[in-house]
């Protein structure tokens, strides 16, 4: 493990942010690629990436890559890996699979064939086989099949890294925590000026802003990681990294972080989420109409994530809201840099302001834009 390669996955468009984040965390050999970032190092680099990354989805450790055009090639390629180093019959496993432009087209079949190869190898070598647990396995195996080349990796993260643990209830149209963190990074907010989300919903963006400003690594909030259940888990090294992280946490915010929303139930949920994240006493949350927004005097950063009408007929109904966003920015947000995240460019025209920057991002399969408006 002294110089193992790792791959941190992220949402499309966030790769550059993730690369900068890992480099800033002191992780060596960072190389930006499509869909994520490759890096090198030992266990410490892998543990550190899981603990500190705000924008990654998973951290993977590639074990093998081989050509794969048939079920037999898949089976033999997976079986050739030294699974006894990572699994015993007492462990549980699960297989995640994503494939594109390959002869094998059914992800469920590929996952099943991979599982068969792993358990057959262990049974032949050790006399018994591990069980499958798709919900909470000890070892999560990741199979990527792209243009008939198969990459088999171990998932160090276990649960995806966006699952910080503070958001128990998933409100309508939630923004994943790691994408919220990416919006904050892309806004250029340096924690020294006010941060405002006037349509905060259940609070994800303001909570992520507070975690960043307080230097709380998102991994501190989690129940655990996949690698903690591996046979080679280095408990002392992990504890050292956690202790170091805790010592760097600030007790007060360097600048105000504020969130408001028109919905009583959303704000109540935001309070609960903020409390679970350990920032409930430090950020300001309240119910408020957009037209009555009164942010602290600029400079500062505003981030909006308004609804953007996925269904037919919704777009027309949302145009007045987008116009109101533009009016509020012009009338009430002097000195602020405002960032609007939307999956509907037609609606964004109703803001009535010229964006000084347009960043392409993906919210799941939806192509979106982060639009910057400078209110000077």
């Amino acid at each position: 493990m002294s110089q193992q390669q790792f791959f941190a996955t992220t949402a499309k468009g966030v790769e550059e942010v993730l690369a900068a984040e890992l480099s800033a965390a002191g992780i060596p050999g960072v190389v930006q690629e499509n869909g994520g970032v490759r890096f090198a190092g030992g266990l410490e680099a892998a543990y550190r990436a899981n603990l500190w990354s705000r924008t990654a989805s998973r951290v993977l450790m590639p074990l093998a890559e081989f050509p794969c055009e048939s079920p037999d090639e898949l089976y033999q390629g997976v079986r050739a890996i030294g699974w006894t180093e990572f699994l015993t019959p007492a462990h549980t496993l699960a297989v995640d699979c994503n494939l594109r432009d390959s002869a094998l087209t059914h992800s469920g079949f590929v996952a099943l064939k991979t599982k068969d190869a792993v358990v057959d190898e262990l049974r032949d070598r050790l006399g018994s086989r591990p069980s499958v647990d798709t919900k909470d396995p000890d070892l999560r195996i990741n199979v990527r099949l792209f243009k008939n080349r198969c990459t088999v990796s171990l998932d160090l993260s276990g649960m995806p890294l966006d699952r910080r643990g503070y958001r128990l209830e998933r409100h309508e149209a939630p923004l994943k925590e790691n994408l919220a963190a990416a919006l904050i990074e892309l806004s250029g907010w340096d924690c020294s000026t006010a941060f405002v989300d006037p349509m905060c919903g259940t609070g994800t963006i303001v909570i992520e802003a507070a975690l960043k400003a307080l230097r709380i690594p998102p991994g501190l909030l989690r129940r655990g990681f996949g690698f903690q259940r591996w046979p080679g888990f280095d408990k002392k090294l992990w504890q050292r990294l956690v202790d170091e992280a805790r010592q760097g946490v600030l007790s007060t915010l360097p600048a105000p972080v504020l969130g408001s929303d028109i919905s009583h139930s959303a704000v109540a949920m935001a309070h609960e989420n903020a409390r679970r994240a350990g920032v409930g006493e430090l950020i300001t949350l309240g119910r408020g109409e957009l037209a009555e927004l009164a942010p602290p005097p600029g400079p500062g950063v505003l981030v909006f994530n308004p609804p953007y009408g996925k269904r037919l007929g919704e777009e027309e109904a949302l145009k007045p809201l987008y116009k109101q966003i533009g009016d509020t920015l012009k009338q009430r947000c002097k000195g602020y840099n405002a960032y609007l995240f939307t999956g509907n460019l037609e609606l964004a025209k109703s803001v009535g302001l010229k964006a000084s920057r347009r960043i392409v991002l993906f919210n799941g399969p939806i192509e979106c834009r982060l639009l910057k408006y400078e209110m000077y």
Side-chain angles (χ1 to χ4, degrees), residues 5 20 50 64 72 147 185 194 204 207 242 287 323 330 334-335 342 345 351 359 373:
Q5 288 287 316
N50 276 283
D72 189 57
K147 292 188 175 173
E185 289 304 315
T204 305
I207 292 168
V242 168
R287 191 196 164 276
K323 183 183 181 300
K330 282 181 277 197
K334 191 181 173 190
T342 182
L345 284 175
V351 172
I359 302 163
Y373 304 102

Side-chain angles (χ1 to χ4, degrees), residues 6-10 14-32 36-40 45-59 161 185:
F6 299 96
F7 189 76
T9 67
T10 192
V14 182
E15 296 93 343
E16 193 176 334
V17 172
L18 176 57
E21 177 183 78
L22 294 181
S23 295
I27 290 165
V30 170
V31 179
Q32 186 183 323
V37 171
R38 196 166 296 284
F39 64 94
Y47 290 1
R48 201 179 280 280
N50 276 283
L51 179 62
W52 278 101
S53 180
R54 300 184 192 281
T55 60
S57 302
R58 298 180 181 278
V59 178
L161 292 175
E185 289 304 315

